[in-house]
Amino acid sequence: MAADLFRVEIPLPGSPLKYLNSYVIRGGGRNLIIDTGLNRPLCLQAMRDCLHFLGIDLKHTDFYITHLHADHLGLLDKLAVQGSSRVFFNHREADQFGGDFGVGEMLRHSVRAGFPEVEIAAIDFTPSTIYGSEVRPDFCLVQEDDRIRCGGYDFRCIETPGHTKGHICLYEEQKGILISGDHILNDISPIIQLWSDDENPLADYLASLQKVAALDVDLVLPGHRTTFTDCKRRIEELRQHHHNRIAEVLDIVHDDSLQSAYQVAAQMNWNLEFTSWEELPVAQRWFATGEANAHLKYVQEQGEVRRREINGKFFFYSAD
């Protein structure tokens, strides 16, 4: 892949993603591990086996976490050595680390988005809660243009909010390498959801794509699936995907009736092996509602739809 840079596949049991890509840089004096996997015995064993094979001493190893999702940070408290390891993390999400990782707020907002309350109890949020890191490290907080150096690598922090509000990629300009976390994936579209009334994650995401498109990237190292080389092509595909979603949402809302994000999501086309909305597992319907909600917020901010609150729930209608 590159000198002293290794990709480690950490299994994600029960997830369609199958594994997380953790990246290990063997740096001589100090090493760097980028993202870790879930806090589960199978994940820990896979990581330890690889580190043993590579000859990595955790007492001389630092960590970088791309964003606040348990599959990227869960093993921190099992791997980071107190008093020795530095843990680099974004400044926007540090306060959310620990507890329920924001799950409570997401659930409250999903009810306002029209998701049936009786079905919420059936959603398994275990990976976001008990499989996260059990201990909050003392972070070295980073932001745009901060540098993280290890061995022959000099990474620049690139803030790329959208998938989460604090997501940060690492860019090695001299080597043309982008460690993209979940910002850009090769064969699947990163989830862009809205579960807060004061954010516009799709607008953030599209702006982040534009920022990365301006970089000279030869190799993309994503958080899931395969590595790839044509970064600009993939960015254009992701842009088009979301513009198609925007057009779809506008077509649905333009029938002049009041509709919640849940109702809009039920009418959208999802690339899943089910013949009807009702057949989708409840978790899939929840994710779809969050995606619809993000696109509705985007077109609301663009002035193309309007929103009305009725009995504590949000409904959208055409601005025409």
Side-chain angles (χ1 to χ4, degrees), residues 89-280:
F89 191 60
N90 73 80
H91 63 105
R92 294 185 179 181
E93 295 176 326
D95 289 343
Q96 290 181 265
F97 195 98
D100 68 355
F101 288 90
V103 168
E105 180 184 357
M106 290 190 293
L107 293 181
R108 288 188 293 272
H109 199 79
S110 64
V111 173
R112 304 189 78 182
F115 201 90
E117 293 184 58
V118 68
E119 295 187 356
I120 290 178
I123 304 174
D124 181 13
F125 286 100
T126 297
S128 298
T129 53
I130 68 171
Y131 294 149
S133 179
E134 297 173 4
V135 178
R136 184 191 188 282
D138 291 327
F139 292 123
C140 295
L141 298 180
V142 295
Q143 57 188 348
E144 184 81 7
D145 289 333
D146 281 349
R147 298 278 179 169
I148 296 176
R149 298 176 176 87
C150 180
Y153 294 86
D154 182 4
F155 291 106
R156 177 161 62 95
C157 292
I158 308 293
E159 292 187 350
T160 50
H163 179 65
T164 69
K165 69 178 182 180
H167 193 291
I168 296 183
C169 298
L170 293 180
Y171 176 52
E172 222 295 355
E173 184 173 9
Q174 295 302 314
K175 295 178 172 58
I177 295 175
L178 179 74
I179 297 180
S180 66
D182 284 2
H183 177 54
I184 303 173
L185 305 175
N186 189 26
D187 56 353
I188 54 176
S189 175
I191 293 175
I192 309 299
Q193 294 184 293
L194 175 66
W195 296 123
S196 173
D197 197 35
D198 58 356
E199 298 177 9
N200 190 343
L202 181 55
D204 291 341
Y205 184 68
L206 293 174
S208 296
L209 286 178
Q210 184 175 359
K211 178 193 292 188
V212 173
L215 304 178
D216 186 9
V217 176
D218 297 319
L219 177 64
V220 181
L221 306 182
H224 302 281
R225 305 293 180 95
T226 59
T227 63
F228 58 100
T229 56
D230 197 342
C231 186
K232 287 182 170 56
R233 170 200 58 82
R234 184 56 183 149
I235 287 174
E236 187 54 38
E237 290 175 350
L238 290 168
R239 281 176 174 164
Q240 190 59 52
H241 166 77
H242 287 290
H243 286 305
N244 291 343
R245 281 278 186 233
I246 289 167
E248 184 179 23
V249 164
L250 288 174
D251 284 343
I252 293 169
V253 174
H254 279 180
D255 68 1
D256 293 329
S257 62
L258 292 170
Q259 299 188 71
S260 68
Y262 179 83
Q263 292 170 319
V264 170
Q267 301 169 71
M268 296 171 67
N269 294 310
W270 303 101
N271 187 23
L272 299 169
E273 296 179 356
F274 298 93
T275 58
S276 70
W277 174 255
E278 290 73 23
E279 290 182 6
L280 264 67

Side-chain angles (χ1 to χ4, degrees), residues 29-51:
R30 294 198 67 79
N31 312 298
L32 181 68
I33 295 176
I34 301 167
D35 291 341
T36 68
L38 293 168
N39 186 7
R40 301 187 66 174
L42 183 65
C43 303
L44 180 60
Q45 190 59 54
M47 178 65 83
R48 283 179 170 167
D49 288 346
C50 176
L51 297 181

